[in-house]
Amino acid sequence: MQAVILVGGEGTRLRPLTSSVPKTVVPLVDRPLIVYMLQWLRRHGVDDVIMSCGFLATGVREVLGDGSQLNIRLRFVEEPEPRGTAGALKFAEELLDDRFLMLNGDVLTDLDLSAQIAQHEATGATGTLALVPVPDPSSYGLVRLRADQSVEEFLEKPSPDAELDTNLISAGAYVLERSVLDLIPPDEKVSIERRVWPRLVDDGLYGFVDDSAYWIDIGTPARYLQVTFDILEGKVRTDVAERLGDEFLDVDPSAEVAGRVVPPAVVERAARIAAGANVGGLAVLAEGVSIGAGSTVQRSVVLRGASIGEECVLRDCIVCPGALIGDRTQVTDGAMIGEGVSIGADNVVSRGARVFPGMEVPDGGLAF
Ligand code: GDD
Ligand code: MG
């Protein structure tokens, strides 16, 4: 089975985590999101994948190579400029089989693709959208479904005053017949959600509901943290759960731990946790991270080589690779510190604040 994965979006809502790498290769616990996706696709019989890239394509290539480790044939297609979700598919037309899967590249899910493909065949659909229920559907593509699973209405990101009487959203996983390409004009920026799905309503568009699946779009800092915690707690089926075992903990033998690590947590190679520091529950320290004496890291992700001073508090935050955080600084409440950023001592960064690469924060310079 063939699959096209869309990875060309700019990931603006996840900056600065996505300032230098595309959303799809953002690290989640111990591997990039795309590796989870490829492992999931492989379990459902996919052996041929086309990565539809735009923004920062080389980053995706470098991480994945030719896919041989995963037993998948991997090819890369790069648009000359962002063509939108349908335009990107059209751009890959020459490589596509008669039937293929299309996936949004920023979703972690274990939904049952095999059952979706089986339903697609049974209904004779042109397109079958995977659907999952979510508590607040307004920021997604909403679907109203008939009893025979055909789509009655597709509404992409409805306006705030629209009446919503469904909680089923399009999960960003589609089974498509090649004929959908005939609906997409070439060489133009076109949205599949706004131009193609509405045209297929009553003309071969079906929905496949999987209400027991894990599903999350990692597109915001809060959701990035949530998905990290869900992986650590084994709420989604991944290989990481095996790595963590019944203790929900993995501390690499090369890490130097003088402080305390509370599960669920992952501490990678050459990380250092000084005396009196507390790491976890729900913490990821990537390779080479250092945590100073007396500091606390809870419900947070600290990426490669970042260095945290003494008596700091990191809670519900993301620290990007190579960042330096001075003593007694607090980073909390959804804040994100960009790659290589240096923050002085005695600062407070909280309430979703984001510090971007290139910004300098001196000692005691920031309180928000
Ligand atoms: N190649 C390419 N070119 N890929 C693109 C482009 C483009 O111009 N624009 C977006 N993408 C990719 C993104 O990288 C992402 O993987 C996917 O297409 C969806 O784009 P998002 O920007 O993440 O869209 P969204 O999350 O707001 O909405 C979409 O996903 C929801 C589920 O997460 C829609 O498909 C909704 O209908 C859906 O409910
Ligand atoms: Mg998205």
Side-chain angles (χ1 to χ4, degrees), residues 13 23 106 217:
R13 291 169 299 175
K23 257 194 293 196
D106 60 346
D217 170 321

Side-chain angles (χ1 to χ4, degrees), residues 143-345:
V143 173
R144 213 176 281 131
L145 207 59
R146 299 193 187 93
D148 68 351
Q149 314 297 310
S150 63
V151 172
E152 187 179 352
E153 192 180 8
F154 184 92
L155 202 57
E156 182 67 13
K157 307 201 179 88
S159 62
D161 48 344
E163 264 183 47
L164 309 180
D165 59 0
T166 171
N167 63 349
L168 283 181
I169 62 139
S170 166
Y174 325 111
V175 189
L176 301 177
E177 295 297 305
R178 198 181 152 81
S179 60
V180 293
L181 291 163
D182 301 339
L183 301 174
I184 309 170
D187 307 323
E188 267 181 51
K189 185 166 187 181
V190 186
S191 155
I192 206 152
E193 295 85 353
R194 294 179 196 279
R195 289 271 294 278
V196 178
W197 304 152
R199 281 195 53 189
L200 279 175
V201 169
D202 289 325
D203 200 11
L205 191 64
Y206 285 77
F208 164 78
V209 182
D210 188 339
D211 47 19
S212 60
Y214 179 88
W215 184 89
I216 198 165
D217 170 321
I218 68 151
T220 66
R223 295 207 294 256
Y224 173 81
L225 284 174
Q226 187 60 52
V227 66
T228 300
F229 304 156
D230 291 343
I231 294 169
L232 288 175
E233 294 192 293
K235 288 188 181 163
V236 48
R237 180 178 164 194
T238 71
D239 294 353
V240 179
E242 277 162 45
R243 179 181 165 193
L244 297 183
D246 294 341
E247 316 225 303
F248 295 90
L249 183 67
D250 191 37
V251 178
D252 190 275
S254 69
E256 287 170 38
V257 182
R260 197 159 70 116
V261 183
V262 180
V266 167
V267 177
E268 297 286 19
R269 226 163 54 79
R272 281 175 302 153
I273 303 173
N278 262 295
V279 171
L282 297 172
V284 175
L285 303 188
E287 186 176 337
V289 162
S290 118
I291 308 294
S295 288
T296 298
V297 181
Q298 275 172 355
R299 302 179 53 85
S300 295
V301 176
V302 186
L303 294 168
R304 202 172 9 86
S307 175
I308 314 302
E310 298 183 358
E311 306 289 336
C312 292
V313 176
L314 269 53
R315 196 170 281 128
D316 293 293
C317 73
I318 303 166
V319 179
C320 293
L324 299 175
I325 296 184
D327 296 344
R328 295 173 303 280
T329 282
Q330 300 188 11
V331 186
T332 61
D333 212 0
M336 197 186 323
I337 309 299
E339 183 160 352
V341 165
S342 172
I343 303 225

